[in-house]
Amino acid sequence: MSRTTTDRDRNRTVHDDGTQPWLGFGEVRTCLIQNLGTLSPSASVALMQLTPGSPVSKVDRPVRRVVSPEQVTGVDCRLQVAREGRGRAIGTVLSHAVVTNGRILQGTAYVALSEATSKERREWRHYLRHQGVVEVLGSPKPHNIVDGYLADVSPPARGLDLASISDRIIDEVQQSDTLNHTTALRASTAVVRWAATLAKDAKPTVGIAKSDLPNLHVIRLSGAPDDLPMLIRFCEEFALHEWLLTTVQDVIVPRAETDIARDRDPLDSLLFALNELVPLWMPPTHLSPDMKALWEAMESRTHYSRLFERQVARIRDLRDQVKIRPPRRF
Amino acid sequence: MTAVDVSYDEMTQTAKVDAVPLGHLSVETGHLYLDDFAEGDRKIARQLEQAAPWLEAAGKRIRKRFGRNARISTCFLVDDYTPSGSALDQPKPSEVVDIVTTAADQAGFRIDYLAREAGCAVACERPYSGPRDQSALADIVAGLIVEEAAVGANGSRPPTAQTGWLSNGERSPAVAVAMDAPDWEPPEEFGKYRHSVFVDIELWSLDNNQTHAERQYSCSLLSAVWQLLRLGLLRNAGKAVAKPYRFGPNEAFPDLWSQLPSITQLTADAAPFAAYQALSVLPPHFRAAEHAAEIIIDHLRFDGAVLKQTADRARDETNPVTLPDNPVGRMSHLFFDDVHVTHND
């Protein structure tokens, strides 16, 4: 199983007929691209061309971010509802892959939930006109749907299986013939599962919980329906930064310390971290005032940037130690 | 300190969507295999003669609704994709153009555009085109198919369109053909009305003789591509595809069909090739493939920008045209019968 993460903010989640979604669900996976070197810009674009003839989106600054065209998966399944109530979701889930700086791969699946426009399943083209929306038949309470979805983490999923969808898109990318399928670093895949409650005039809020399962974070968000694209992007950016911090703190630093203690050379992974991972730390505050406010509010609680700086300083210290007293075994 | 409003955009972030010229009506006056020209103009003459009254009737109706200047174009499709007897016996493009033009004259109308079916699989923008001005349209359309979710599908399983088949319902579960197979269940059309009309469409087959098998696309999928071209709904990364090409007065036609552009404009002052409405006047044996093409088109996820652009253009016409939401609603067919009146010359 490979894991991935994604990001993107060009989906339209509002129905033409004005029905607004009242929930948004998603799952983001983040991992290293299985390739020894950094992918060039053109190689990143080619890798993200998952649908022929659909444009790949590319932004060069502040970090190079290449996003695949949206993939569409049809669903018609019962919702996993906590406590009481039943619901059936019919429509399509969107997913896409993102490559950041030719190094990090993310796979994202997301969907907006809105009220059903009829009591029966409608013709398929109706659902294709509102891509990324599932209509909910039945009337379970939104907070029960959210709790049910966020708790439905052990495979096989009993409700909407966004985990498999985001996983598949990662697999599809990682299996590409253009990659050499080796990585400079053994790091795991991190998963962020999120649910947003949407209501007119609601102010954006974020609540992050680190799960007791390894590499899993659960995020509850709220906002207005129009905020959904921003919330999706927020979760993708959070997933990327969370993965960077975890990788540096739990993989790079402890391994280097162990290597030094055993007189082995840790320099390769320290330099990989400094040259390849540290430049990726770029909070998305430039995207919009709302994103800036949301991200900074999150920072003021978690101090992620400060934690990351501390880890980076630690890596530099270790590098300097190795330079002063080289290990005996090269 | 005052806040300064700064914006920063990168052009590669969102693709621009080209507009294509659109008329009111595109009439497909026929569809023939290259082998059909082996007997000269007999088949095409009969085909165009059958189509003529319907073309006239459709034209009248459109002019009545949209005025005398309504833009109506005619086209003809030649199948150079299906492998035929022998490439040596094939008529040259220039010969076919002459036959078609003459036959249309006799039938009392003009054919504005000649298209070739292989040019629907891979669009060629101009004669002798190379990979740089080609678009793999069949691949693009196949990539836009979103299978209808079966009841219970929650995203766990990958879609089966990768098998090269698309159905409009739930297939019958695979069971061993045995007299005592008790678990046989019938297939079922999604959203059926009482009884099912279950259709399973082969989108492509693979030539298994080669290591790198090439997809051989089915008539059904290529018909879908052809109809979408006529409705002006296909783009390659936002760019228009298969724009009609007009040969200059001193420019000779290529000798090989594969060197011809996808769509060749035959008349000087033709109305646009693509149109708000597409009518096909065809012999009855195309019925199944045309039905399959409609099902395929009903399972495509269109770029919202392209649909909106088309609908806006239609609404802004002098006599506004209201397009239905689904592209299939802009297509109509007329399948004539096989009864011929024999002339006693």
Side-chain angles (χ1 to χ4, degrees):
Chain A
M1 287 266 289
S2 80
R3 307 286 199 70
T4 325
T5 344
T6 354
D7 75 26
R8 148 70 124 311
D9 41 19
R10 39 177 161 131
N11 61 320
R12 299 195 340 270
T13 46
V14 179
H15 274 209
D16 306 344
D17 51 10
T19 43
Q20 296 271 21
W22 32 262
L23 290 174
F25 290 166
E27 178 137 334
V28 189
R29 281 153 196 258
T30 312
C31 61
L32 271 177
I33 295 184
Q34 289 169 357
N35 199 55
L36 205 51
T38 303
L39 291 183
S40 67
S42 60
S44 298
V45 169
L47 189 67
M48 289 295 94
Q49 191 68 64
L50 299 180
T51 310
S54 295
V56 169
S57 158
K58 175 167 145 312
V59 172
D60 282 333
R61 297 202 175 116
V63 286
R64 197 171 68 239
R65 194 163 170 281
V66 184
V67 185
S68 79
E70 294 291 354
Q71 310 295 296
V72 184
T73 309
V75 292
D76 175 354
C77 62
R78 83 194 167 88
L79 287 168
Q80 184 62 18
V81 183
R83 293 175 290 274
E84 53 165 9
R86 294 169 64 93
R88 175 182 172 192
I90 310 169
T92 57
V93 175
L94 291 182
S95 56
H96 59 251
V98 187
V99 171
T100 306
N101 266 16
R103 272 291 175 197
I104 312 292
L105 174 62
Q106 295 186 289
T108 255
Y110 54 91
V111 66
L113 287 75
S114 71
E115 219 158 317
T117 48
S118 97
K119 289 196 164 50
E120 300 270 315
R121 171 162 160 171
R122 300 182 57 173
E123 69 282 11
W124 192 236
R125 60 173 175 260
H126 166 79
Y127 300 105
L128 288 186
R129 273 208 297 279
H130 309 295
Q131 291 160 32
V133 175
V134 291
E135 297 186 5
V136 178
L137 289 162
S139 47
K141 294 199 164 52
H143 64 271
N144 289 344
I145 306 179
V146 168
D147 291 349
Y149 168 70
L150 292 180
D152 188 16
V153 286
S154 47
R158 284 172 298 173
L160 278 171
D161 193 356
L162 303 190
S164 290
I165 295 174
S166 68
D167 212 29
R168 265 206 302 276
I169 201 164
I170 296 264
D171 277 348
E172 187 182 345
V173 173
Q174 296 281 40
Q175 285 166 6
S176 161
D177 312 342
T178 58
L179 302 178
N180 55 30
H181 307 293
T182 45
T183 49
L185 180 78
R186 280 214 311 277
S188 52
T189 298
V191 180
V192 167
R193 172 173 285 231
W194 59 268
T197 312
L198 307 169
K200 204 168 171 296
D201 304 328
K203 285 272 169 288
T205 64
V206 183
I208 299 167
K210 191 164 172 6
S211 159
D212 48 3
L213 298 170
N215 298 320
L216 172 67
H217 281 73
V218 172
I219 306 186
R220 290 170 185 266
L221 308 109
S222 64
D226 293 348
D227 292 332
L228 188 56
M230 178 190 78
L231 298 178
I232 292 168
R233 177 69 185 266
F234 174 89
C235 292
E236 293 171 359
E237 292 286 349
F238 172 84
L240 175 69
H241 288 82
E242 164 57 43
W243 182 91
L244 284 170
L245 179 59
T246 302
T247 303
V248 166
Q249 180 175 302
D250 297 352
V251 180
I252 305 264
V253 169
R255 270 188 211 164
E257 286 170 340
T258 312
D259 282 344
I260 291 172
R262 295 185 183 169
D263 246 356
R264 281 192 309 232
D265 183 13
L267 207 53
D268 280 353
S269 66
L270 291 175
L271 292 180
F272 178 81
L274 287 176
N275 298 333
E276 302 289 341
L277 302 183
V278 173
L280 296 175
W281 192 270
M282 188 58 69
T285 48
H286 58 281
L287 289 175
S288 69
D290 286 347
M291 180 69 92
K292 187 173 190 307
L294 201 58
W295 192 269
E296 284 172 353
M298 190 269 298
E299 278 274 11
S300 69
R301 283 301 298 270
T302 60
H303 303 298
Y304 266 30
S305 288
R306 208 183 311 163
L307 292 175
F308 189 73
E309 280 161 29
R310 200 177 291 167
Q311 295 300 326
V312 174
R314 178 77 186 125
I315 290 176
R316 293 207 171 99
D317 286 347
L318 289 167
R319 179 197 57 187
D320 296 342
Q321 281 179 37
V322 174
K323 284 194 163 162
I324 295 162
R325 260 205 316 195
R328 274 172 292 177
R329 284 191 265 162
F330 271 96
Chain B
M1 194 180 122
T2 53
V4 179
D5 209 0
V6 179
S7 77
Y8 172 80
D9 276 313
E10 294 190 28
M11 296 311 291
T12 50
Q13 193 167 1
T14 45
K16 193 172 123 300
V17 174
D18 285 354
V20 298
L22 288 163
H24 289 90
L25 177 68
S26 153
V27 185
E28 178 183 3
T29 54
H31 179 165
L32 286 183
Y33 298 95
L34 279 179
D35 295 352
D36 293 338
F37 292 96
E39 316 163 29
D41 66 350
R42 204 172 61 88
K43 281 200 170 162
I44 184 161
R46 185 188 296 165
Q47 161 78 35
L48 296 184
E49 191 188 334
Q50 296 254 45
W54 306 112
L55 173 65
E56 195 182 342
K60 261 190 197 153
R61 182 164 165 263
I62 291 285
R63 277 187 283 268
K64 196 169 161 185
R65 280 173 60 189
F66 302 113
R68 282 187 36 231
N69 295 328
R71 305 182 295 277
I72 301 172
S73 68
T74 53
C75 55
F76 192 91
L77 183 62
V78 172
D79 184 348
D80 62 334
Y81 187 79
T82 310
S84 73
S86 150
L88 295 174
D89 304 340
Q90 280 182 358
K92 292 199 168 108
S94 55
E95 295 166 0
V96 168
V97 166
D98 288 340
I99 295 174
V100 169
T101 315
T102 315
D105 266 348
Q106 284 171 346
F109 61 90
R110 292 189 319 174
I111 288 182
D112 299 316
Y113 298 98
L114 179 81
R116 57 188 193 89
E117 192 146 345
C120 294
V122 177
C124 305
E125 304 292 337
R126 47 182 197 81
Y128 310 103
S129 65
R132 287 194 53 183
D133 35 26
Q134 292 181 342
S135 308
L137 293 188
D139 288 348
I140 288 174
V141 171
L144 295 177
I145 293 174
V146 181
E147 270 179 89
E148 201 151 352
V151 175
N154 68 346
S156 306
R157 298 172 53 169
T160 57
Q162 295 150 0
T163 58
W165 287 81
L166 172 73
S167 78
N168 66 342
E170 185 91 64
R171 295 179 177 92
S172 174
V175 286
V177 182
M179 295 297 289
D180 58 348
D183 15 341
W184 183 83
E185 287 191 21
E188 188 186 349
E189 182 190 3
F190 289 122
K192 66 176 192 290
Y193 176 71
R194 288 196 180 167
H195 298 93
S196 285
V197 179
F198 175 81
V199 181
D200 213 341
I201 303 160
E202 189 171 15
L203 303 170
W204 65 79
S205 55
L206 290 175
D207 198 350
N208 287 328
N209 310 339
Q210 307 156 2
T211 44
H212 271 290
E214 282 238 339
R215 279 182 185 180
Q216 185 74 16
Y217 280 108
S218 67
C219 273
S220 311
L221 188 92
L222 293 178
S223 292
V225 174
W226 165 239
Q227 297 288 12
L228 293 168
L229 278 175
R230 293 173 63 209
L231 296 173
L233 290 175
L234 286 186
R235 303 287 186 280
N236 182 1
K239 290 194 174 56
V241 287
K243 293 191 280 283
Y245 182 87
R246 174 119 172 95
F247 283 83
N250 303 318
E251 198 179 359
F253 280 92
D255 284 341
L256 296 176
W257 283 91
S258 58
Q259 298 165 334
L260 206 64
S262 288
I263 300 166
T264 306
Q265 184 176 337
L266 302 178
T267 52
D269 49 353
F273 166 76
Y276 300 129
Q277 290 174 261
L279 164 66
S280 300
V281 183
L282 296 169
H285 61 264
F286 285 109
R287 197 179 267 124
E290 293 295 325
H291 180 201
E294 283 195 5
I295 293 175
I296 292 170
I297 292 172
D298 254 344
H299 286 79
L300 298 182
R301 53 185 179 98
F302 288 96
D303 181 345
V306 177
L307 289 178
K308 186 172 182 307
Q309 189 183 63
T310 315
D312 289 351
R313 283 273 304 285
R315 229 192 2 260
D316 294 344
E317 289 277 349
T318 325
N319 295 311
V321 185
T322 312
L323 295 183
D325 276 345
N326 62 321
V328 165
R330 295 164 50 197
M331 295 158 46
S332 55
H333 287 88
L334 195 137
F335 298 104
F336 45 75
D337 55 34
D338 269 338
V339 181
H340 310 298
V341 178
T342 40
H343 296 285
N344 296 321
D345 292 332

